[in-house]
Amino acid sequence: MPKPVRPSCASKSEIDRTGSVVSVRGSVVDILFRRSLPAVNHALRAGSERQVIIEVVAHQSEDTVRGIALTPTQGLFRGAPAIDTGQPLRVPVGRRLLGRMLNVFGDPIDGGGHFEDEEWRSIHQPPLSLAQRSAKMEIFETGIKAIDLLSPLERGGKAGMFGGAGVGKTVVIAELIHNVAGRYRGVSLFCGIGERCREAEETYREMRESGVLERAVLVFGQMNEAPGARFRVGHAALTIAEHFRDNEKQDVLLLIDNIFRFIQAGTEVSGLMGRIPSRVGYQPTLATELAELEERISSSLSAAITSVQAVYVPADDLTDPSASHTFSHLSASVVLSRKRAAQGFYPAIDPLASNSKMLNPSVVGERHYHVAQAVRRTLAEYEELKDIIAMLGLEELAEADRRTVNRARRLERFLTQPFYTTERFTGQAGRSVTLDATLEGCEFILRDDYADMPENALYMIGPVGEARGNATKGGV
């Protein structure tokens, strides 16, 4: 009888890390490990060909773990082998990613070659300590009049684009890519959470055509993927961004579309785990999960991660837990209004609901602060007068109120702007406007320098000087 072969150290180690599937319920998989229990957040590979990737989310007992499958579980059966990889999910990092598009597992989805044998990093990283963070406050100019004037973004801060379906969040994000990435000295990183495949393809093509792709990285978790995969896309993108900030010492512009889908994926994972829902059906761990992601976005002493996030607002309700929890992490909030979109004011930014902690005279300067306050006050007074105008007509207002209405209507139109990313739909050339030009235009309108000019001459223009040409041609 032949002598049994003694396993080598490598094979013995693999035996210690091998378990068997106990149950499969959709994306929830329980796995029995008789020797060594994997740690929470470790990645497992299950199935006869190790084709199913599972992330450990809980220890059920002293020998059983519960995981969420990040890939389809089709073909997985009770008793199937599963092996602990001994580490969390990892993604490739470094300059080799520039110009590439990849998924949450670090696999390319642009048809290019794989990222082999170079540095990979765990997607679970701690945020910077307070001692390592920069407290310097700087403005991040975008070239979009309404944002730069009323809700200026912070370099190294987090800005949210809030709005319901179809009000233009993705369009504003695309315009930011065009305006900022083209003249941006750092790296642009686009993170698509729960994206439609059409949106992913369009974003990739537009960035390539505008010449910014070679300084950009795209990370996507698409809508048809498992909720566990969609839930980890943001962490994967942040890991790549942190490498550029900490190792390459480069500023990073991180664009996330859509943070609500991150929360939604977390809700699905929580439901799969059988947790009792919290308010409006959201997961009880909503605040913690969102904070784990958002607190990693920060400035170090040598470079910064500046984030702009689209936030879908269910039923246009800003008190929804997903929106209200996101608000608390942001330095600037840009609210897109369905009412303004219906009136044809694009971008459909609500000037009264949008705000920024940067709009402070010590940060933006006295001129910018006073112009923004005057614009907001004029628009607020006009909003209060609308009911009276609807009932009695404009002629019944006092002379001072009529002047306020005149200024407000011209300011509303001046704060519209043609976008480069919508040129092929509107046939109108895009405009990027400097902050100085925006302030100058608002000052002219507030001084009534354009009171005798048709309102439509100020609609969909760049700097205020273009209104003269429109008026000469008979308006827009």
PDB file of all heavy atoms in Angstrom, residues 211-232:
ATOM      1  N   GLY A 211     -10.168  65.483 -24.449  1.00  0.00           N
ATOM      2  CA  GLY A 211      -8.727  65.455 -24.200  1.00  0.00           C
ATOM      3  C   GLY A 211      -8.313  65.381 -22.754  1.00  0.00           C
ATOM      4  O   GLY A 211      -7.150  65.633 -22.435  1.00  0.00           O
ATOM      5  N   VAL A 212      -9.246  65.039 -21.837  1.00  0.00           N
ATOM      6  CA  VAL A 212      -8.892  64.966 -20.412  1.00  0.00           C
ATOM      7  C   VAL A 212      -8.723  63.528 -19.932  1.00  0.00           C
ATOM      8  O   VAL A 212      -8.348  63.302 -18.779  1.00  0.00           O
ATOM      9  CB  VAL A 212      -9.947  65.684 -19.531  1.00  0.00           C
ATOM     10  CG1 VAL A 212     -10.070  67.139 -19.932  1.00  0.00           C
ATOM     11  CG2 VAL A 212     -11.298  64.998 -19.613  1.00  0.00           C
ATOM     12  N   LEU A 213      -8.963  62.554 -20.810  1.00  0.00           N
ATOM     13  CA  LEU A 213      -8.940  61.158 -20.379  1.00  0.00           C
ATOM     14  C   LEU A 213      -7.558  60.719 -19.905  1.00  0.00           C
ATOM     15  O   LEU A 213      -7.440  59.927 -18.964  1.00  0.00           O
ATOM     16  CB  LEU A 213      -9.424  60.241 -21.514  1.00  0.00           C
ATOM     17  CG  LEU A 213      -9.592  58.760 -21.164  1.00  0.00           C
ATOM     18  CD1 LEU A 213     -10.647  58.594 -20.071  1.00  0.00           C
ATOM     19  CD2 LEU A 213      -9.988  57.950 -22.393  1.00  0.00           C
ATOM     20  N   GLU A 214      -6.504  61.254 -20.520  1.00  0.00           N
ATOM     21  CA  GLU A 214      -5.155  60.816 -20.127  1.00  0.00           C
ATOM     22  C   GLU A 214      -4.774  61.275 -18.718  1.00  0.00           C
ATOM     23  O   GLU A 214      -3.781  60.810 -18.173  1.00  0.00           O
ATOM     24  CB  GLU A 214      -4.106  61.299 -21.139  1.00  0.00           C
ATOM     25  CG  GLU A 214      -3.970  62.796 -21.268  1.00  0.00           C
ATOM     26  CD  GLU A 214      -4.908  63.386 -22.324  1.00  0.00           C
ATOM     27  OE1 GLU A 214      -5.816  62.669 -22.796  1.00  0.00           O
ATOM     28  OE2 GLU A 214      -4.711  64.564 -22.676  1.00  0.00           O
ATOM     29  N   ARG A 215      -5.568  62.186 -18.128  1.00  0.00           N
ATOM     30  CA  ARG A 215      -5.324  62.596 -16.737  1.00  0.00           C
ATOM     31  C   ARG A 215      -6.487  62.190 -15.838  1.00  0.00           C
ATOM     32  O   ARG A 215      -6.716  62.795 -14.789  1.00  0.00           O
ATOM     33  CB  ARG A 215      -5.116  64.120 -16.670  1.00  0.00           C
ATOM     34  CG  ARG A 215      -3.871  64.602 -17.387  1.00  0.00           C
ATOM     35  CD  ARG A 215      -3.542  66.048 -17.043  1.00  0.00           C
ATOM     36  NE  ARG A 215      -4.649  66.963 -17.274  1.00  0.00           N
ATOM     37  CZ  ARG A 215      -4.988  67.448 -18.465  1.00  0.00           C
ATOM     38  NH1 ARG A 215      -4.303  67.092 -19.538  1.00  0.00           N
ATOM     39  NH2 ARG A 215      -5.996  68.282 -18.589  1.00  0.00           N
ATOM     40  N   ALA A 216      -7.223  61.178 -16.260  1.00  0.00           N
ATOM     41  CA  ALA A 216      -8.421  60.765 -15.515  1.00  0.00           C
ATOM     42  C   ALA A 216      -8.461  59.254 -15.334  1.00  0.00           C
ATOM     43  O   ALA A 216      -7.870  58.502 -16.109  1.00  0.00           O
ATOM     44  CB  ALA A 216      -9.679  61.239 -16.241  1.00  0.00           C
ATOM     45  N   VAL A 217      -9.149  58.826 -14.279  1.00  0.00           N
ATOM     46  CA  VAL A 217      -9.423  57.410 -14.020  1.00  0.00           C
ATOM     47  C   VAL A 217     -10.930  57.275 -13.822  1.00  0.00           C
ATOM     48  O   VAL A 217     -11.543  58.115 -13.161  1.00  0.00           O
ATOM     49  CB  VAL A 217      -8.687  56.911 -12.760  1.00  0.00           C
ATOM     50  CG1 VAL A 217      -8.932  55.419 -12.551  1.00  0.00           C
ATOM     51  CG2 VAL A 217      -7.201  57.205 -12.830  1.00  0.00           C
ATOM     52  N   LEU A 218     -11.535  56.235 -14.395  1.00  0.00           N
ATOM     53  CA  LEU A 218     -12.974  56.004 -14.252  1.00  0.00           C
ATOM     54  C   LEU A 218     -13.200  54.664 -13.564  1.00  0.00           C
ATOM     55  O   LEU A 218     -12.626  53.651 -13.971  1.00  0.00           O
ATOM     56  CB  LEU A 218     -13.681  56.029 -15.610  1.00  0.00           C
ATOM     57  CG  LEU A 218     -13.689  57.368 -16.356  1.00  0.00           C
ATOM     58  CD1 LEU A 218     -12.444  57.489 -17.241  1.00  0.00           C
ATOM     59  CD2 LEU A 218     -14.928  57.504 -17.227  1.00  0.00           C
ATOM     60  N   VAL A 219     -14.025  54.680 -12.522  1.00  0.00           N
ATOM     61  CA  VAL A 219     -14.358  53.462 -11.778  1.00  0.00           C
ATOM     62  C   VAL A 219     -15.878  53.330 -11.778  1.00  0.00           C
ATOM     63  O   VAL A 219     -16.585  54.255 -11.362  1.00  0.00           O
ATOM     64  CB  VAL A 219     -13.834  53.523 -10.327  1.00  0.00           C
ATOM     65  CG1 VAL A 219     -14.075  52.191  -9.623  1.00  0.00           C
ATOM     66  CG2 VAL A 219     -12.355  53.873 -10.288  1.00  0.00           C
ATOM     67  N   PHE A 220     -16.384  52.176 -12.237  1.00  0.00           N
ATOM     68  CA  PHE A 220     -17.832  52.010 -12.369  1.00  0.00           C
ATOM     69  C   PHE A 220     -18.319  50.750 -11.673  1.00  0.00           C
ATOM     70  O   PHE A 220     -17.677  49.695 -11.714  1.00  0.00           O
ATOM     71  CB  PHE A 220     -18.227  51.910 -13.851  1.00  0.00           C
ATOM     72  CG  PHE A 220     -18.195  53.228 -14.580  1.00  0.00           C
ATOM     73  CD1 PHE A 220     -17.128  53.552 -15.392  1.00  0.00           C
ATOM     74  CD2 PHE A 220     -19.227  54.139 -14.435  1.00  0.00           C
ATOM     75  CE1 PHE A 220     -17.080  54.760 -16.063  1.00  0.00           C
ATOM     76  CE2 PHE A 220     -19.189  55.355 -15.096  1.00  0.00           C
ATOM     77  CZ  PHE A 220     -18.117  55.666 -15.914  1.00  0.00           C
ATOM     78  N   GLY A 221     -19.461  50.886 -11.020  1.00  0.00           N
ATOM     79  CA  GLY A 221     -20.236  49.744 -10.555  1.00  0.00           C
ATOM     80  C   GLY A 221     -21.605  49.907 -11.163  1.00  0.00           C
ATOM     81  O   GLY A 221     -22.371  50.796 -10.752  1.00  0.00           O
ATOM     82  N   GLN A 222     -21.929  49.123 -12.168  1.00  0.00           N
ATOM     83  CA  GLN A 222     -23.108  49.406 -12.968  1.00  0.00           C
ATOM     84  C   GLN A 222     -24.386  48.866 -12.343  1.00  0.00           C
ATOM     85  O   GLN A 222     -24.371  48.062 -11.418  1.00  0.00           O
ATOM     86  CB  GLN A 222     -22.905  48.889 -14.391  1.00  0.00           C
ATOM     87  CG  GLN A 222     -21.775  49.641 -15.085  1.00  0.00           C
ATOM     88  CD  GLN A 222     -21.568  49.227 -16.523  1.00  0.00           C
ATOM     89  OE1 GLN A 222     -22.484  48.759 -17.179  1.00  0.00           O
ATOM     90  NE2 GLN A 222     -20.366  49.384 -17.019  1.00  0.00           N
ATOM     91  N   MET A 223     -25.498  49.330 -12.870  1.00  0.00           N
ATOM     92  CA  MET A 223     -26.804  49.094 -12.273  1.00  0.00           C
ATOM     93  C   MET A 223     -27.177  47.612 -12.212  1.00  0.00           C
ATOM     94  O   MET A 223     -27.918  47.188 -11.332  1.00  0.00           O
ATOM     95  CB  MET A 223     -27.846  49.865 -13.088  1.00  0.00           C
ATOM     96  CG  MET A 223     -29.055  50.298 -12.320  1.00  0.00           C
ATOM     97  SD  MET A 223     -30.109  51.337 -13.330  1.00  0.00           S
ATOM     98  CE  MET A 223     -29.770  52.941 -12.654  1.00  0.00           C
ATOM     99  N   ASN A 224     -26.650  46.822 -13.139  1.00  0.00           N
ATOM    100  CA  ASN A 224     -27.015  45.400 -13.178  1.00  0.00           C
ATOM    101  C   ASN A 224     -26.133  44.546 -12.274  1.00  0.00           C
ATOM    102  O   ASN A 224     -26.298  43.332 -12.215  1.00  0.00           O
ATOM    103  CB  ASN A 224     -26.934  44.876 -14.620  1.00  0.00           C
ATOM    104  CG  ASN A 224     -25.517  44.926 -15.171  1.00  0.00           C
ATOM    105  OD1 ASN A 224     -24.711  45.728 -14.724  1.00  0.00           O
ATOM    106  ND2 ASN A 224     -25.225  44.078 -16.136  1.00  0.00           N
ATOM    107  N   GLU A 225     -25.180  45.160 -11.583  1.00  0.00           N
ATOM    108  CA  GLU A 225     -24.286  44.399 -10.712  1.00  0.00           C
ATOM    109  C   GLU A 225     -24.929  44.148  -9.352  1.00  0.00           C
ATOM    110  O   GLU A 225     -25.900  44.798  -8.971  1.00  0.00           O
ATOM    111  CB  GLU A 225     -22.953  45.136 -10.551  1.00  0.00           C
ATOM    112  CG  GLU A 225     -22.159  45.224 -11.849  1.00  0.00           C
ATOM    113  CD  GLU A 225     -20.771  45.806 -11.649  1.00  0.00           C
ATOM    114  OE1 GLU A 225     -20.184  45.592 -10.580  1.00  0.00           O
ATOM    115  OE2 GLU A 225     -20.291  46.484 -12.567  1.00  0.00           O
ATOM    116  N   ALA A 226     -24.376  43.201  -8.621  1.00  0.00           N
ATOM    117  CA  ALA A 226     -24.893  42.849  -7.299  1.00  0.00           C
ATOM    118  C   ALA A 226     -24.799  44.047  -6.362  1.00  0.00           C
ATOM    119  O   ALA A 226     -23.887  44.868  -6.492  1.00  0.00           O
ATOM    120  CB  ALA A 226     -24.100  41.668  -6.736  1.00  0.00           C
ATOM    121  N   PRO A 227     -25.734  44.169  -5.400  1.00  0.00           N
ATOM    122  CA  PRO A 227     -25.696  45.316  -4.481  1.00  0.00           C
ATOM    123  C   PRO A 227     -24.395  45.420  -3.700  1.00  0.00           C
ATOM    124  O   PRO A 227     -23.915  46.517  -3.425  1.00  0.00           O
ATOM    125  CB  PRO A 227     -26.899  45.074  -3.555  1.00  0.00           C
ATOM    126  CG  PRO A 227     -27.302  43.654  -3.755  1.00  0.00           C
ATOM    127  CD  PRO A 227     -26.897  43.309  -5.142  1.00  0.00           C
ATOM    128  N   GLY A 228     -23.784  44.270  -3.349  1.00  0.00           N
ATOM    129  CA  GLY A 228     -22.518  44.302  -2.631  1.00  0.00           C
ATOM    130  C   GLY A 228     -21.423  44.967  -3.441  1.00  0.00           C
ATOM    131  O   GLY A 228     -20.593  45.707  -2.895  1.00  0.00           O
ATOM    132  N   ALA A 229     -21.398  44.733  -4.748  1.00  0.00           N
ATOM    133  CA  ALA A 229     -20.394  45.351  -5.617  1.00  0.00           C
ATOM    134  C   ALA A 229     -20.638  46.850  -5.733  1.00  0.00           C
ATOM    135  O   ALA A 229     -19.706  47.660  -5.648  1.00  0.00           O
ATOM    136  CB  ALA A 229     -20.420  44.693  -6.993  1.00  0.00           C
ATOM    137  N   ARG A 230     -21.901  47.246  -5.907  1.00  0.00           N
ATOM    138  CA  ARG A 230     -22.227  48.674  -6.003  1.00  0.00           C
ATOM    139  C   ARG A 230     -21.884  49.408  -4.704  1.00  0.00           C
ATOM    140  O   ARG A 230     -21.480  50.566  -4.710  1.00  0.00           O
ATOM    141  CB  ARG A 230     -23.705  48.860  -6.335  1.00  0.00           C
ATOM    142  CG  ARG A 230     -24.039  48.585  -7.796  1.00  0.00           C
ATOM    143  CD  ARG A 230     -25.498  48.836  -8.087  1.00  0.00           C
ATOM    144  NE  ARG A 230     -26.313  47.656  -7.814  1.00  0.00           N
ATOM    145  CZ  ARG A 230     -27.347  47.632  -6.989  1.00  0.00           C
ATOM    146  NH1 ARG A 230     -27.690  48.712  -6.312  1.00  0.00           N
ATOM    147  NH2 ARG A 230     -28.043  46.526  -6.823  1.00  0.00           N
ATOM    148  N   PHE A 231     -22.050  48.715  -3.584  1.00  0.00           N
ATOM    149  CA  PHE A 231     -21.788  49.315  -2.277  1.00  0.00           C
ATOM    150  C   PHE A 231     -20.302  49.592  -2.067  1.00  0.00           C
ATOM    151  O   PHE A 231     -19.938  50.493  -1.311  1.00  0.00           O
ATOM    152  CB  PHE A 231     -22.311  48.356  -1.193  1.00  0.00           C
ATOM    153  CG  PHE A 231     -22.225  48.903   0.207  1.00  0.00           C
ATOM    154  CD1 PHE A 231     -22.921  50.040   0.576  1.00  0.00           C
ATOM    155  CD2 PHE A 231     -21.432  48.265   1.153  1.00  0.00           C
ATOM    156  CE1 PHE A 231     -22.835  50.548   1.866  1.00  0.00           C
ATOM    157  CE2 PHE A 231     -21.345  48.762   2.451  1.00  0.00           C
ATOM    158  CZ  PHE A 231     -22.056  49.903   2.805  1.00  0.00           C
ATOM    159  N   ARG A 232     -19.426  48.843  -2.736  1.00  0.00           N
ATOM    160  CA  ARG A 232     -17.979  48.993  -2.534  1.00  0.00           C
ATOM    161  C   ARG A 232     -17.285  49.821  -3.612  1.00  0.00           C
ATOM    162  O   ARG A 232     -16.077  50.045  -3.512  1.00  0.00           O
ATOM    163  CB  ARG A 232     -17.325  47.611  -2.460  1.00  0.00           C
ATOM    164  CG  ARG A 232     -17.684  46.804  -1.206  1.00  0.00           C
ATOM    165  CD  ARG A 232     -17.354  47.557   0.043  1.00  0.00           C
ATOM    166  NE  ARG A 232     -17.584  46.784   1.266  1.00  0.00           N
ATOM    167  CZ  ARG A 232     -17.675  47.322   2.473  1.00  0.00           C
ATOM    168  NH1 ARG A 232     -17.573  48.634   2.623  1.00  0.00           N
ATOM    169  NH2 ARG A 232     -17.879  46.565   3.536  1.00  0.00           N
TER     170      ARG A 232
END
